[in-house]
Amino acid sequence: MSAHAGRGLALGLAVTVAVLSMPPESAAEEPKTSPAVVPLTNPVGEGKGSFRGGLFRNVVTARGFEIDDSRAGQHNVKAVGITNTFTPDTPAIYVVVEFLQSTFDIFRLVGRFILEDPNGKPIGAVLHVDRAQFENEDMGGYLMIKQPPGGFPSGNYRVEIHYENITDISLLTLARFKVVPATGAAGQKP
């Protein structure tokens, strides 16, 4: 082996050792202990009938839901206790979606429950992510968030409903609700 080739080999080995001794990017990142803060954006259309020609008949927040399997094998989901105002001690908050028709396919919706910034800044803290899978006979379903320890923080919330995965273009629609002290919630409906 020539002296020139030997130096090239030594240099190549030195570079390889240096690269391999660098920490991987994933190991360099610290795990997040607090809720992620995300920018708040609006989908093309909000509320009823949004999503490129209309996937939803209705999108509402509620205290619960019921399933009616009586119509020709389809699973119809109806919201129970529809409201957009909840108290901190609410056991769970549901976002109930009703589809215009069954999709004849299997797909998933992802809901991000976000506490909006109280100062009106275009950011919010993601408190929970829920996923719901829908199949051929489903005419609706729900996404939910259970009461966190200590109750729901007071404030304005939004639920971003995404198709399949959370990406820049997957946002279908939004649902909004608020949490107020128990004295301010009596008798409020959307």
Side-chain angles (χ1 to χ4, degrees), residues 40 84-86 113-120 123-125 127 153-159 175-180:
L40 300 177
N84 64 357
T85 305
F86 299 89
F113 289 78
I114 300 170
L115 177 60
E116 294 183 319
D117 184 271
N119 299 321
I123 58 170
L127 300 179
S154 293
N156 293 320
Y157 291 74
R158 68 189 285 144
V159 183
R176 288 191 161 89
F177 65 92
K178 59 185 168 182
V179 174
V180 298

Side-chain angles (χ1 to χ4, degrees), residues 90-113:
T90 301
I93 297 172
Y94 295 85
V95 177
V96 180
V97 297
E98 294 177 46
F99 303 129
L100 288 172
Q101 65 183 23
S102 116
T103 62
F104 307 108
D105 199 3
I106 297 172
F107 68 97
R108 181 183 312 179
L109 292 181
V110 180
R112 290 199 316 173
F113 289 78

